[in-house]
Structure formats: C-alpha cells, structure tokens
Amino acid sequence: MDERTGRAWSGRFDASPDEALDAINRSIGFDIRLWPQDIAGSRAHAAMLQQIGMLTIAERDAILGGLNQVESELAAGSFTVLPTDEDIHMAVERRLTELVGDPGRKLHTGRSRNDQVATDVRLFVREACADVRGRLALLVSRLAELALEHADAPMPAYTHLQRGMPTTLGHHLLAWAEMFLRDIERFGETGRRAGISPLGSGACVGSSLPLDREMTANLLGFHSITRNSLDGVADRDAVVEFLANASLLMVHLSRIGEEFVLWSTQEFNFVRLSDSVTTGSSMMPNKKNPDGAELLRGKAGRVVGSLTGLLVTLKGLPLAYNKDMQEDKEPLFDTVDTVTVCLNMLQVMLAGATFNRERMAAACSQYVNATDLCEALVRVGIPLREAHHRTGRLVSLAISRGCEIEALPLADVQAIAPEADPTMLEGLRLAAILDVKQVLGGTAPQRVRAEAEALSARLTRALEWATVA
Amino acid sequence: MDERTGRAWSGRFDASPDEALDAINRSIGFDIRLWPQDIAGSRAHAAMLQQIGMLTIAERDAILGGLNQVESELAAGSFTVLPTDEDIHMAVERRLTELVGDPGRKLHTGRSRNDQVATDVRLFVREACADVRGRLALLVSRLAELALEHADAPMPAYTHLQRGMPTTLGHHLLAWAEMFLRDIERFGETGRRAGISPLGSGACVGSSLPLDREMTANLLGFHSITRNSLDGVADRDAVVEFLANASLLMVHLSRIGEEFVLWSTQEFNFVRLSDSVTTGSSMMPNKKNPDGAELLRGKAGRVVGSLTGLLVTLKGLPLAYNKDMQEDKEPLFDTVDTVTVCLNMLQVMLAGATFNRERMAAACSQYVNATDLCEALVRVGIPLREAHHRTGRLVSLAISRGCEIEALPLADVQAIAPEADPTMLEGLRLAAILDVKQVLGGTAPQRVRAEAEALSARLTRALEWATVA
Amino acid sequence: MDERTGRAWSGRFDASPDEALDAINRSIGFDIRLWPQDIAGSRAHAAMLQQIGMLTIAERDAILGGLNQVESELAAGSFTVLPTDEDIHMAVERRLTELVGDPGRKLHTGRSRNDQVATDVRLFVREACADVRGRLALLVSRLAELALEHADAPMPAYTHLQRGMPTTLGHHLLAWAEMFLRDIERFGETGRRAGISPLGSGACVGSSLPLDREMTANLLGFHSITRNSLDGVADRDAVVEFLANASLLMVHLSRIGEEFVLWSTQEFNFVRLSDSVTTGSSMMPNKKNPDGAELLRGKAGRVVGSLTGLLVTLKGLPLAYNKDMQEDKEPLFDTVDTVTVCLNMLQVMLAGATFNRERMAAACSQYVNATDLCEALVRVGIPLREAHHRTGRLVSLAISRGCEIEALPLADVQAIAPEADPTMLEGLRLAAILDVKQVLGGTAPQRVRAEAEALSARLTRALEWATVA
Amino acid sequence: MDERTGRAWSGRFDASPDEALDAINRSIGFDIRLWPQDIAGSRAHAAMLQQIGMLTIAERDAILGGLNQVESELAAGSFTVLPTDEDIHMAVERRLTELVGDPGRKLHTGRSRNDQVATDVRLFVREACADVRGRLALLVSRLAELALEHADAPMPAYTHLQRGMPTTLGHHLLAWAEMFLRDIERFGETGRRAGISPLGSGACVGSSLPLDREMTANLLGFHSITRNSLDGVADRDAVVEFLANASLLMVHLSRIGEEFVLWSTQEFNFVRLSDSVTTGSSMMPNKKNPDGAELLRGKAGRVVGSLTGLLVTLKGLPLAYNKDMQEDKEPLFDTVDTVTVCLNMLQVMLAGATFNRERMAAACSQYVNATDLCEALVRVGIPLREAHHRTGRLVSLAISRGCEIEALPLADVQAIAPEADPTMLEGLRLAAILDVKQVLGGTAPQRVRAEAEALSARLTRALEWATVA
C-alpha cells in the first residue's frame, strides 16, 4: 500500500486520483454486494497458492483466518470502507493485510482484479440463476394446483382481446406455466455457462507462476475452466445472457400483469385481488388499485433497459478488459432484485386472488361457439371455407336479431346452412364445446387436468436441463 | 391516517399491504430525493388553499411552519421514515400532521398524489436541465480557450480512423464544442416544456373546488399551466425528453472518451493524461489506465438503457395515471447523476491533459496532402475525377517508393500528372495546406481562431434559446 | 471512373471489392430514396462552383441539364443502377457523366460524399419533420371537432384502469390532442436544427477551394451553415432527434391504440370500430379484430428499436466520419414510413368510430362520485383526511349493500358522516358532478368546449414554434 | 372467398379494409419469405387431415399436387400476389384453390393462421439457428488454423487499450474463437426450443376435430409438440431468443471489428487488409478505408435495435394472439440477413488479412515485462504487494531514463529491488516471458498450439450441444 495514495497500484504514480475520477470510477458502493463471492474466491486462491508452494501453510492459515474475520465484519455490517478502497477486492485485501500483515500482501500473487472480478461475477450469476429457477418452480407448482382446481371453469379465450372461443381458467393458467418452464430452461443454460472458472487468467495472459486452475475451480464448484486468458477477462456473456433471460421473463410477467389488470377492471370483473396486493388513492376514496399487477407489467422496462444498456456498453470494446465493463454490475444486481420482487409478488397475488367463475362463464357469449358450428358443418362435408362463410353470415344474422346463434329459428339457420340440424345446434352448448377440444394442448377439462398433472414431471426435467453432472 | 394500516387511503380496505407489495410498490427509497420539490409544491398549494378560502390564515401558517420543520429534518437527514410511509408525499404529510395536527390533514385538499408527483417531477426536470446546461456551458468555454491555444497545432483529421487530411487540434476541439452547443439547446427546450404546471389536475379530472392553478404555477416558477387534467397526470414526456437528450449527450461524451482512449495509447501517443484521472493495475506495475476516458465512453450504456426502459414502461398504458409510471424516477435520477459525474470528469480531464503537439504534427504524414495535390490539379483545369485518379496513382507510386508524394522526382510525378510543377509540390507543405482551408468551418488557423472567439456569443444565444420571457 | 473497378476512387487500389464487402457495404438499395435531396444538392453545388469560377457557365448548364435528365429517369423509375454503383451519390454522378461527359467529372469538385450525404440527410429530416407536423395538425383539428361533439358525454376517467371519477369523452379526446401538440413542437425543434447546411465541409476539413457555403445553403433553403467541418460530417444528431421524437410520438399512439383495443372489447363496449379498420379470423367466423388499433400500439416497438439501434451504432465512434454511420438511413426511413401509416390509420379510425355514449355513461357507476362526496364534506369544514376516511367507509358500506352511495339511507350515511345532508347526496348526480369541475383543465362540459375551441390558436402557435423567420 | 372483399374471413363483414388498414396491416410484403415453411406446413397438415378422415385421398393428393405448383411459382418468382392477399398463408390458400378448387377450400380445416404462422416462424428459426451455427463453425476452424500459424508471434495484450503484457497473435485469435463457441451453444439451445410444434393449437384453444398433432410434428421434423394451445399461439420466445443470441454475437463481432479498425490504423499498423475489403474516398485519393471492419462494428446497432423493438412490442400483451405480434418477422429476417453478411465479411477479411508480425513484436515494449519482473521477485520471496510496488518504482525510473527496465544498470535496479540479479533481468526477454506462461489458457506458444488443436473436438461438442437425439 502506498502511503501517499493509499492505492495498491501506485508505485509509478505521482498523484492521487482526482475526486471527479473517484466519483465516476469507484465501484465499492455497489460491488460490495459481491463480498461473499470475493471471500470465497480468495479462500480458494490461497489454498491453491499454498499447494503450489507460493504460500507456506502458516501463511495460508493466516490468510484464511483473516478472511474469516473480514467475512464476519462484512456479514455483520461492521466493515469500515475507507475512502481509498476502490472496490470490494482491494477493500478485502486492505483489511486482510491490516489483520494479518505480510501474508495478506501475498494473497494477490498470480491474480489480477481482472480475473478476480470475472470469477466473482460468474459465481454470482450462477447462484442467481439457481435462485430464480427455484422461485419459478414454486410458481409452476402453484399454477398446476390452480389449474386442477379450475380445470372446468369456462372463460373466453381472447385473441386481439376479442372473445374468440371458450376455454377454461385452468387452461389459461397452464399457458402461464408454459412460459415459466421455458424460463427455467434458459436460466439453467446460463447457469451452466457461468459455471466455468476464469480464475488464473490473471490480468489478461495468465501468469508465469504454476497456478493450478483446476484446483481453484473445483473448490469454487465450477465444472470446468476457461481456455483462453484474454477471453477469460474480456467476456461478460454470462451477464448479458442473464439480462436477456430476465428480459424475456419480465415480458412474460408483463403479460400476466396486464391480464390481472384487465381481469380486475369493473368491466371484466373476472378476479378480485386481495386488499393486501392493492392500494388506495390519496384523493379518491372509492379506489382499489391493482398496483402489484401494474408493476409486474411496468417493471419489464427497467430490465429491458438494463439489457440494452449493457449491450451498448460492451459494443465495440477491444480486448481484453476495459474499464467500461465495470458497468456490468449495477444492471445485474438491479435485475436480480427486480425479478425476485416480481416473482414474489405474483406468488402472493395468486394466493389471494378470488376468481369470479360465474362472471367468466357468463362472458362465454356473443358467438364464441361460431367456430364449433363451422367445424360441425365441416364434419358433414362442407369445405371449411364455405362453412366459415356461412357461419359468418349466421353470426351477422344473430347480431341483427340480438341473440346467440343457437337461439335463431332452425328455418333461418337452414336458409343459410341447409345441413344444420337440431343436434348440431344443441352441440353448441358451452360444456359440450369445451369437452370436444380433446386435441393435445386443447381446452377439454380432462385434457387440462392431464396436463396439470404432467407438469410436475416436466418441471423436474426442466430443472435438470443443462445442469452438469 | 388509519390506525390499522397506517395508510392515508385505507377507509375501504380490510387488510394492510403484503410485504411483497411493499417491496415492489414503496417508492420512498428513491423518491425521497424529491423532497425539496415536494415541500415547495406543498407550500404553494397551501398558500393557494388559503387564498380560495379552503384554509384559514392560521391553518395556512401552521402548515407553512410545519413544512419548515419537515424541511429542516429532511435537509439535516434527521427525518424518520416510517414503514407505512409509501412515498415522499405521504411521508411529508404524515410528519406534518404529527407536527401541526388538523391543518396537516387539510393540506391534501383538492390535490392528489397524481398531480403532486407530476408537479414534483417537472420541477426536478426543469432544475436538472438548467444544471446540465450550466455544466455544458463551462465545457464550451474551456474548449474555446483550448482551441485558441492550439489553433495552429497540426494533427491528422481521421475518417474511418484512417488519416485523411491535416487539421489542427484547435479545430478538432471545436468540433466537440459544436456537439455541446446543440445539447444546450435541447435541454433548454425540454426545460421549457417541463415548466408548465400540472398542479390542480387532481387525480385525473381536476376538482370540484375552485382551485387557482395559475397562482400555484406562479409561486413555483412555472410559466404556464397544463390544459387537460387527464393529460396532466398521464404525461411523462418531460422525463422521456430528458433521457433522450441525455442519451445523445452521452453518445457525444462516448465519442470524446473514445478519442481520449485512442490518443493516450502508446501507438497514438497524442496526449498524456494526468495521473489524477488514471489508475494502475493490481497485477501489472507498468500500467497507467485512462479509466476516466473509458467511463465517459461506457456510461452511455446506462443512460441509453434508462431511456429504453422508460419507453418500454410507458408503451401501451391507457390513460390516465398507472402505477407503472412510478418507474420514471429511478432512471431519471440515475441519469442526472451520471451526466453530472461525466461532465465533471471531462472538465478535469481537459484541465490535466498534456497534448503532444510534436507527435500530432509528425502524424500528418502518409499522403494526407494528396487531396491538396488533387485540388491543385483541379485549379489548373483538370476535371476532379481525373485529378483524383492521377493523384491516386501518385500515392501508389509513392507507397512503392516508401516516400511522401512531394519527395518523388518531378519527372516521375509529371509522367502521371503532366500539369504538376515545383510550385504545386511546394504547396504540399503542412503549414501551407492548413492555411488554404479558408472555407467557413475549415481548418485554417485564422479561421479556427475566429470560430473560437465567436463561441462565446453563440453560447449565450444557445443558453437563451427556448427560455420563456 | 476506373475501368478496372468501376469505382470513382480506385486510383490507388489493385483489386475490386469482394462480393462480401459489397453485400455489407453497398447502400444504393436504400439510399436511392435520397435521390431528390441528392439532385437538389448537386444543383446548388454546381451553381456555386460556377459562381466561384470552378465551372464555366457552359459546364454548369451542361451539368444542370444532365441532372434534369437523371432526375427524370429516377422519378420515372427508369434509372438503371449498375453493380458498381455503391450509393446514390456515385450513381447520379456516374450517370451524369455518361450523359454530359467532362463537366460531370467536375461536379464533385470541393465536395466529398461525407458532406454530400450529411446534406442529403438533413434535407430529408427537415422535410420529414414538416410532413409529420402536418399530419399531426390534422389529427389535432379532428380531435377538437370530436371533443366539441362529445363535450358533455359522460364516461369514467380511469386511473390504474379502475374507474376513478367521471369525465366526458370530449375531455378524454382532448388529452390525446395535448400529446400531439407537444409532438408538433418537438418535430419543429428538430426541423430547425436540421436546417443548417453542412455542405462545404468536404471530407472532414473543408477544402482549399474558395467554396461559397452560404450560397449553397440559401439555394437549398437552409437557414444557416455549420461552423466546424469535422462536426459537419460526424454529426448525426438530427437523425437521433427525429427517432427520439418519433419514439415518443409512437408511445402516445400506443396508448391511444391500447384505449381503442380496450374500448372495443365486448367488456367495455365503448366504441364500435368500422368494418374497414378491422379484420376477421381465418378460423373463427365470429371475430372482428381491431388490427389497426393493435398495430398503433405494437409499432412503437420498431421505432424504439430504431432509436436504440442508432444510439448503439454511434456510441464510441471517434471523429469524423466512420462507415458505421451509414446505418443511420434505414431506421430513419422505416420510422418515417411507420409514423406516416400510423397517423393515417388513426385518422381513419377516428372517422369511422362510433362511440357508444349510453354505455360510457352507464359505466359512470360504482362510486365514481365518492371523491365529490368527500369534497362536499371538505366544503363544510371536515379536514380532507377525515372526509376521505369517512367516504371510504361509506363506499365499503355501499359495496356491502350492493348499491351506490346516494342510494344509502340518509341515516346510515349520517352515522358515518353526520354532516351529510340530502342536498349533498343530491349533488352526487352525474351531470352535477361533471358541471362543478370548473377548474382549468377540468371536465366541466363548458370548460371542455372552451379548450376545444382554444385548440386552433394553440395549434397555430405550436406550428410556428421554433421555425426560423 | 368473398367476392365482395376478396378475404377468406369476410362472412360477417360489410366493408372491405380501408387502404390505411392495408398499409399498416398487410404482411405479404415481408412474410412471403416464409413460403417454404408455409408450403411444408400445409403439406404436413393435408397429410394429417387425410389420415384422420377429414380429407379423402383424392382431395389430399389434389392439395399436394396444387402445393407443388404453388411452390414452383413461388420459387420461380412467377407467383402473382393479389391486392387482397393479406399474407403468405392466405395467398397460398387462394392460389391453391384457384388451381384445385374445393379441396383447396378444405386445407384450412382445423387450422388457424395463428398456429400456422407460429409453426412457420419456428421452422424458420430452427433453420436459421442451424445456418448460423454452420457459419460460426467455419470461422472457428479458420481461427484455429490461423492460431496455429501465429502461435508464437508476439504482440502486446492490451487492457484499457494500454499495453499490458505480451501475448501472441495466435493466443489473441483463439479468444475470438471462444466467443464463437459460446454463440454456437446458444443458437443450439434456441434451435432446440424452436423445434417444438405448435401446429394444432388452432386459433387459441385447439379444435373439435381429432387432429393428430404428433403426426404433423414428425412430418415437419419437430422433436415434440407444445402442451397448451393458448401458449402455442401467444409465444414468441424463440424469436426473442434468436435476437438475443444474435445481439450478443454482434457484440462479439463489434469487438473484433473494432480491433481490425484499430490494427489497420497507421498508428498501430498491425494488419494490412486486402484491397477487396476496403474502399476509397470520393474526395481523398490517399484513403483506404476498412469499411468491412467498421460495419462489423456498426451493425451491432440494428440487431440490438431489433431485439429491443420486439421486447417493446411484446411487453404487456394479454393472451393469446394479438396483431402486434406480426411485428416479429421483420426484425427476425433483418437479423438473419445481417448476421449472415457479417459472418461472411469476417471470413473474407481473415482470408485477405496480412498480419505485420514485425510491427506487433516491436510493440511489445514500454515495460510490458514489468509483471514478469514482479513475479520473479515474488518467486524469491518478496510479498506480491511489495514486489509490485518496487517494480512500479523501477518502471518510473526507466521512464525517466527513457529506456526499458532491463536496460537499467544493475546497481540502479538493486537500489530499489536488492533481490534482483542478472538472471532475473535476462529472463525479461520477450521469448522467455512468453514461454513461461504455461498456465492453462495462457500465452506460452506450446499452450496456444495445444488449445488450437483442441478446438476441433470442442467445436464438435458445441455443435452437438442441445441437439435432440
């Protein structure tokens, strides 16, 4: 440590950093969050340095003891950050050296902050992937339960937000589960790629010392090591992947949030959200606002923004490390936090939501059975296009009469579709048209139940996907 | 205040917010930054309420006195945020009511958080625009001084990062000033549009009370008022504009940062940055890294990300206020801070940069005078395309000889361009070709000086642009 | 022109471009759209070259005649693009030279594609700004008419998509007009900044020839000239500004599109869109889908994407011109086209929309008058917070009774709010509570009419804003 | 087909689409690109319809014959698009029906454009993933060859674009290969997820007909089928994933492009690009510009913009299909094309690049061996921090003397680092310090060779990753 500048690197410098540089450059304000990863990385590095003879056993033990103390202080919030601590890496080393003296000054042997931070970030991403997957799995399980419960509760399926054909609430909830299963896969893939150790890449070209990279990788739970030291310190793919996966997850949540917002309007009135996930107005005593659902929808913005921002920052950077890359951490941390609060929010919303099944069933009106009539005509041999056209004309007629198709006089129906018969019209009842959608993935209640029951096994497979034995 | 929920709006609610809702919904963690605007808005509102008879003078004075106390606590950092304080608006009202009782419970009369936060945000944006313009003006002035100092210091002008034709360092620095002048205009326009008061829009439709919106607007320094209450609470254009202006400013800074990074390489060696804006390596004792310049370049990412994020959030929201819009504040605050540290960083970098004029002048080689020869041939009547082609062939010849064009034997030159004469080749000297670029905006040193001197008046005009009398 | 490579610049080159380079590099496929600007620029340049003695009158006239011919061919679609035509600039010059010989080979004197394309793009942006403003003005006028027509048609004002307080359809439509007025201002500002001529900046440092930049600027309708040649060719601010303005405009359109989608659902049923702006389903004969409204909402994506893309491309580029900047044109063109079709779409949607005023009025239920009761209590002296709380309790009571507040027995009301009297409850009628919102910007029908009538003058001012005398 | 509107769905419509709707809504202008996928999907669907008894064998064969004819016309470019053809799906069906009559009108039985387009897009994405992987594999192989060739060619490794420590050109090129290997994995994962058939999801709820979804999936090479019909038509994850992968790939290419731009400057002069990937200037006869490399860098913008745009479009859409989702195709197609031209460009650039090995080796100066001295001191027992500090002081001393460290008099060296000896200074020679970087991933030439040789097997594994047996 240089007594003039307080910086570990200042041998060739004549002046301390300007406060404007500190303001733009110091990262300890946010990278302190990486302390668990940083301590873990240092433990592994110290153990390895002893193994290859760069530390004595006593030095290693002094370091490990000191790191325990530093960890305690960080965990307890009693760690004092000094104005000269640029980042968590230098802060830990500085404090360690205060505690244990010379062995602390040997810890950085064969290591650079470049590979150290790359290692810390990968450990963080790997853990974040696992955590997000766990939360998603809870949601998938919850949706499976709800889908079973509402497997036969009719509601309209919408396209273009117009009522299309009937489905069931259970079927709709399973659509959400599908999105989450894909998200689980993606975070698994990213977690796997994050699980490759860059430690030992040094500043950019490795080291002249006989570092044992596989040992540190094993100690840190990495499943393999990076094969090029320049890439090892220049690569931020895992962070970009995490943000891309999170952006897509947040788009999914935004769609679900939008549906909760719609469903809880006075106009739809499909769901009543619990008071505990809604708020009131400071001015309007009548209001009960679905804030939680709105923020599920709106918080997609910040995550997409973080992804965009990191791509902008990385674009056009030559190899290997550039200071710009320090900008990877804040979007990563903010995204982990955002995803976490959103997944929790959805879990709580689901727990307290009361679905208005009567209202949903009643909304299965206004010709949502027209396609079924069309297909009935097809089954008796009318070409689809002709059947479609005739049914369209029947819909027009029914609109002009202000009634549903099945309420039209048979003669009027047959004037347009001579093949129609009473059985055909009888088959347009809601329960009947749901039951016949037996195609795989369709809305027949027994099919919905089967898929809900199959979710558990599919979830298990998704959680196993891309993990490394 | 409801003793059960501690929320001002809970008359019709049976349960308190779930902690998952609080985690996603509470904004006091960041909107506390708006306290100065919030206090100012409340003062104006209270004064107006008294004027229209909704408060007595005593009530108004109690409120103003209480607000003074709340302001002191917030300024001193001694204000205690309670777990039930959702946002700065409710926190101030809650504390005010603790301090002054019933008058505090009247402050929100005719007001909603919807118009309150819209007012606070506009005040904040207006101030931020003014602050950024001031910092940009300092930079423009500094660049004008530097341009005068280096008006005749030759350096290559690059296109495609290949040396093109000679210019001067002064000329190059003036190009940076041009970008900043446009930025100043844009922030002025946004500041003007932010200067329109939404206060009095209420939750979304105004109020049944006879609010005097022009009075509050005047008290807060707004130059006019919004004309539609739905729009008044639904509009976040000023924030988007600020982020868009800031994104473009950051792109400018990223280009300047890139140039400092390039110029300080060992290969270019055009500038020596002061030790105070560079840092060292934890592993490589030889390193002196231009962190400040790199972050000028890299921090464009987060600002572009914030712009993108807010556009995503706002997209598709129906009128009027939606909770999603709460997501406007963090990107705004982060952008103001980022722009501020970056402008400061550039100011400090300029102060400590030592330009290597000899090296820059020496780099004016490798045929950067070819265009001047071409134009000399044009002046004696050769069509431009023919002159261009012949000069290209002369460049090829010179490359093959390993010399500059003017070092070729006259006979060899004339074999390709018979019109060439010794005077023409003599005119290819560096000083000569700089001097002849007399066209407006060109690189002749006297022209550079004239433009540097004209900057002061142009800066004044840019600062006056779009301000409201 | 080099017979070997067919390129104007190939004097020093030994090989033609690889087809992979052509595939990534040739821009004529899209920049041919700039031909009107390019021809205009060349006319002005030729006239100026004659004025300063670089062309004879005969040469100039030959060039102008040839340009007329080239223009005719381009306008008629009979212009033949050759494989060696890299861009519109070289294509025009090549064809001109075929037509008029040597004078054509002189046209590029004192000019570079760098300043030529900068000029063309600014001309294009200036025109696009004017065009978009014109279309927006038509919409504002139409909205003013509709607002007058529906000034007293009640509908709920929503916040959080929950019914808040009543407003009128006219008031709501005026909120849309407010957004467009701001858009008009912004495009005016950008048009003004685009109206500054970079022509004469040359490749990057101007020219050794005595170019008269003010003459060409005047001929092209620019109001002034750029003051630094490096900046003149490196600057793409006008394009970024256009895309930023367009992104914000598209966010506005997305909000309007979302409202049309919502309003045309079976659940809201506030509007019937004409058949001519809706489409059917290939499978479901009952469907009538609001495609136009959905695309108003969805096309925000591509414009925001174009803005982001250009910011990414420009980030970190050193001065002056870099080839990357060629990527400015496709997003610009696509955005102009997108904005144009969207504004036309909205105009047509408005023309054919039938608002269901009865349904909208009927939706003004479920306690949307609670705030009015609250303010009535405030008027008789109850502190706002207390009045809010009591009203909230009345809302709860009414919900439990399944009736509106005014249908509660007076005694029950007074049990919670003793100050309530029959007059107060009488004042909760829809017409009454609309009428009292007399505050500026509020929803009282007479106020809505006044604002609708004032729009014309405000539109005129917005159209004049930032134009240069 | 309706003779009035020419649309297949117009049974219940009274008016044709307005031209403003057609302008915003018709997709045939771009989705015609999906014709191979659309024909393939229709073949499979027809075969299945026959299998389940909805078509006779004769009808099926008529359809298959007709599709052959339609395919021929589309492949030959002789297919006539009618003004009433909204999209490729309706155009194919319309033409088929012209050719074969009633069987054509039966093809859409049990199918909707919603599941049809979802199927087409997934087929397209799956093929695009395979194609991009193939191009990346060629690049990896080429880089492996070049790395072997230049395994021992010294060059500086840069961090912060400052010379850090020596590496070899081969080692640097292998860093590029690492990025591409990860890209190959990601596109493999996306291709796998795209390989799941949504066909049979119908408009949103499946169908009342006994569709055999597994049969169509098998015929189209999908490895499984989607399990929820709402999700099947609402899901665009595969497109988002493709754009996210492509954005990251383009960021990689932008970094490589930046390096080629830097290396081909006169200042670095590390590489000479072939004439065939560079262009000249219309004004400056001396210029040779690295356009290909610049566009590798700049085209990241459009791809990131496309990703952002699609995320914006999808954000907040309720289930199931919405028209907004039509906006997925243009960014997808543009991205496939962009990635393709960029990968081709890089392949050609590599083929023609001449690396200036002498210049690169000479740039291994200015204290790039300082870290090696530091580590040598560590090896004799000096704590790293002390060794780093002393070496920093030696660098300062050498700078002041204008020489390299090893040229300092031994006594002066020992005054700062008493442990230094002649052997230690001898070990600072370039070849020596390269040779000792034996750590895995390091720069020792023998290690670089080993990694280059191992690439082939790793490439095979990456290509196999995530493929479905």
Side-chain angles (χ1 to χ4, degrees), chain A residues 283-296:
Chain A
M283 183 176 190
M284 301 181 288
N286 51 310
K287 291 302 292 295
K288 184 178 144 184
N289 296 323
D291 293 43
E294 294 172 279
L295 288 165
L296 279 192

Side-chain angles (χ1 to χ4, degrees), chain C residues 168-453:
Chain C
T168 72
L169 176 55
H171 189 241
H172 194 113
L173 296 173
L174 286 181
W176 297 355
E178 292 295 324
M179 302 183 202
F180 293 149
L181 282 177
R182 290 191 295 274
D183 291 322
I184 288 172
E185 283 191 3
R186 280 184 284 265
F187 281 105
E189 292 157 356
T190 299
R192 170 182 164 273
R193 252 185 306 275
I196 303 175
S197 176
L199 194 57
S201 298
C204 50
V205 300
S207 169
S208 67
L209 304 174
L211 307 177
D212 184 343
R213 295 186 58 202
E214 280 163 344
M215 177 180 173
T216 50
N218 283 332
L219 286 171
L220 291 165
F222 286 114
H223 64 83
S224 61
I225 64 168
T226 59
R227 307 303 305 187
N228 183 282
S229 60
L230 288 166
D231 177 64
V233 300
D235 166 32
R236 287 301 183 272
D237 283 14
V239 184
V240 174
E241 280 192 42
F242 188 91
L243 298 182
N245 295 343
S247 292
L248 192 40
L249 166 56
M250 291 302 299
V251 165
H252 295 159
L253 290 172
S254 79
R255 301 183 77 166
I256 294 170
E258 170 78 356
E259 297 203 299
F260 269 117
V261 169
L262 288 173
W263 294 356
S264 60
T265 56
Q266 285 96 338
E267 287 74 16
F268 277 81
N269 191 16
F270 283 2
V271 74
R272 191 165 58 78
L273 297 174
S274 66
D275 280 11
S276 66
V277 299
T278 54
T279 70
S281 160
S282 68
M283 184 176 189
M284 302 180 287
N286 51 310
K287 290 302 294 295
K288 183 177 146 185
N289 296 322
D291 292 43
E294 293 172 279
L295 288 165
L296 279 192
R297 178 181 63 190
K299 280 190 181 283
R302 71 193 299 144
V303 175
V304 173
S306 290
L307 169 62
T308 304
L310 184 57
L311 290 168
V312 173
T313 292
L314 293 176
K315 173 249 169 181
L317 294 184
L319 301 189
Y321 182 80
N322 299 277
K323 190 67 176 195
D324 320 53
M325 290 158 59
Q326 176 171 294
E327 295 282 310
D328 64 341
K329 270 169 272 323
E330 287 162 287
L332 173 62
F333 297 160
D334 187 77
T335 296
V336 168
D337 293 343
T338 300
V339 165
T340 302
V341 297
C342 287
L343 293 176
N344 291 351
M345 185 74 258
L346 179 55
Q347 192 69 259
V348 171
M349 279 176 58
L350 287 173
T354 308
F355 292 100
N356 190 340
R357 293 170 52 139
E358 293 68 32
R359 177 87 178 188
M360 284 177 160
C364 293
S365 63
Q366 297 191 32
Y367 324 110
V368 294
N369 52 14
T371 308
D372 293 273
L373 175 58
C374 177
E375 292 192 340
L377 293 171
V378 164
R379 271 194 296 263
V380 298
I382 306 182
L384 179 276
R385 275 292 156 245
E386 180 60 30
H388 186 289
H389 190 70
R390 291 190 199 173
T391 313
R393 289 175 59 205
L394 285 169
V395 169
S396 287
L397 180 66
I399 290 174
S400 71
R401 302 272 177 87
C403 68
E404 294 289 325
I405 298 172
E406 59 272 32
L408 290 171
L410 183 60
D412 292 352
V413 172
Q414 289 178 332
I416 290 172
E419 302 79 357
D421 61 30
T423 315
M424 210 177 265
L425 295 178
E426 177 65 13
L428 296 183
R429 282 178 305 105
L430 183 53
I433 61 179
L434 282 172
D435 277 344
V436 293
K437 305 287 165 44
Q438 292 287 344
V439 68
L440 288 169
T443 65
Q446 54 271 57
R447 181 131 302 290
V448 172
R449 278 188 206 98
E451 291 298 335
E453 282 161 0

Side-chain angles (χ1 to χ4, degrees), chain A residues 5 14 55 103 108 129 152 167 178 183 218 244 309-310 344 391 393 417:
Chain A
T5 68
D14 293 326
L55 292 178
H108 211 60
C129 287
D152 58 2
T167 186
E178 292 295 325
D183 291 321
N218 283 332
L310 184 58
N344 292 351
T391 313
R393 288 176 58 207

Side-chain angles (χ1 to χ4, degrees), chain A residues 311-325:
Chain A
L311 290 167
V312 172
T313 291
L314 293 176
K315 173 250 171 180
L317 294 185
L319 301 188
Y321 182 80
N322 299 277
K323 189 68 176 194
D324 319 52
M325 291 158 59

